[in-house]
Amino acid sequence: MRTVKPTQMKNVLAYTIWIFFLISCNDVRQSTTNNGHDTSALKNHVSNDPRYAVDAIANCSTWTFDNAKQRADTLIKYMDKTLEHADVKFFCAFPQTFQEMQDLFGYDPKTGAAPLYSYPEGKNVIKYFASLKTIPNALYYKKFIDICIDGVWEADHITECFGFADRLQHDTKAACESLSKRSEQEVRSVFRFIMDGPHPDNEYNDALQQNLIPLLTEQNPKLAMLFSEAYRELMAETDAHRH
């Protein structure tokens, strides 16, 4: 049987301690990295924080487009939720006014069809915007209301307030909070656009009025009053056109 000399034993022990020391140091470095939010997993967690959306959207005004086609391509690109911060970037690229909506989704007798005039592509982009749930309410509804102000019905995608009526029915409190910050004229304009059309005196608008008035009254009676006024004005105009 071979005997192990004391010096060999000491070398083996020293080597074992050195290996353990290296492993421990590596664990410490990994722990420090995690605490410093440097791992990709933690980066993703931080980047998905709602505060990121607020900060990023604050810089939406820096987004510029050479033409409506460029804006359209950007919107379609960021409908892909696998892209980083896709909803925020889609929101930033989305139009801010009714005129910009017309330039993107409408039809002009002189210049022809807008880039997203085609169906269902254009309608799908509007529906995507109307269904966003990742944008902070104050920012989301500000833009939604802005694009509906001065809106009028057209025989294309420029209809029914771009889906705002659905938000009023299913996210009433948040939508009303934003509407309550607007002037009476702006609110009437939005409500009118919801019901506008070639023949607004119809069963759909009757049902919408009956459904929305109680919801609006619960949140803000003044908004309910303005909706009723917009409804009556449209109906009166329809009656006048019949005579």
Side-chain angles (χ1 to χ4, degrees):
M1 177 176 168
R2 183 181 178 183
T3 59
V4 179
K5 298 180 179 180
T7 53
Q8 292 177 316
M9 286 289 293
K10 290 174 67 175
N11 289 339
V12 171
L13 180 60
Y15 180 77
T16 302
I17 292 173
W18 175 247
I19 294 298
F20 178 79
F21 175 76
L22 289 176
I23 294 172
S24 299
C25 287
N26 185 55
D27 288 342
V28 170
R29 281 196 299 270
Q30 288 182 353
S31 176
T32 301
T33 301
N34 289 340
N35 290 335
H37 301 293
D38 287 333
T39 64
S40 60
L42 284 172
K43 279 185 178 179
N44 288 335
H45 175 73
V46 172
S47 66
N48 289 331
D49 191 305
R51 288 172 296 183
Y52 169 82
V54 174
D55 293 340
I57 294 169
N59 295 320
C60 275
S61 59
T62 64
W63 286 55
T64 58
F65 300 94
D66 295 334
N67 49 58
K69 177 65 166 58
Q70 190 180 76
R71 185 194 292 271
D73 291 342
T74 303
L75 287 170
I76 292 172
K77 173 182 177 180
Y78 288 115
M79 285 175 70
D80 182 356
K81 286 184 176 292
T82 64
L83 298 177
E84 187 177 18
H85 310 312
D87 278 1
V88 171
K89 293 174 181 177
F90 175 91
F91 182 81
C92 278
F94 203 79
Q96 302 182 71
T97 65
F98 178 73
Q99 182 59 56
E100 288 182 355
M101 291 294 285
Q102 285 185 309
D103 294 342
L104 193 61
F105 298 99
Y107 185 91
D108 186 284
K110 295 181 179 179
T111 60
L116 291 177
Y117 176 80
S118 62
Y119 185 89
E121 186 178 48
K123 181 63 72 175
N124 288 340
V125 174
I126 292 175
K127 285 182 177 179
Y128 190 88
F129 172 79
S131 65
L132 286 174
K133 293 182 173 64
T134 55
I135 308 300
N137 282 336
L139 299 171
Y140 177 67
Y141 282 113
K142 181 184 183 305
K143 172 169 278 196
F144 212 148
I145 293 168
D146 284 344
I147 64 173
C148 291
I149 291 172
D150 297 328
V152 293
W153 180 90
E154 297 287 349
D156 43 46
H157 304 309
I158 313 298
T159 62
E160 298 179 353
C161 227
F162 309 120
F164 187 68
D166 186 68
R167 281 287 186 151
L168 270 176
Q169 294 176 85
H170 297 101
D171 195 18
T172 311
K173 182 178 179 180
C176 285
E177 284 178 355
S178 290
L179 279 172
S180 65
K181 298 174 183 177
R182 300 307 186 103
S183 69
E184 291 186 7
Q185 181 179 352
E186 289 175 328
V187 173
R188 282 197 196 92
S189 177
V190 172
F191 288 157
R192 183 185 177 93
F193 185 28
I194 287 175
M195 299 176 285
D196 196 19
H199 306 289
D201 186 4
N202 55 56
E203 292 182 359
Y204 173 80
N205 281 343
D206 289 342
L208 186 63
Q209 194 255 0
Q210 292 176 17
N211 185 40
L212 274 178
I213 291 300
L215 295 174
L216 295 174
T217 300
E218 183 179 354
Q219 296 297 326
N220 189 321
K222 185 175 181 180
L223 292 177
M225 178 193 72
L226 292 173
F227 189 91
S228 294
E229 289 178 0
Y231 178 79
R232 288 195 299 269
E233 287 174 3
L234 269 176
M235 297 307 106
E237 290 175 10
T238 302
D239 288 339
H241 291 155
R242 287 173 178 169
H243 300 293

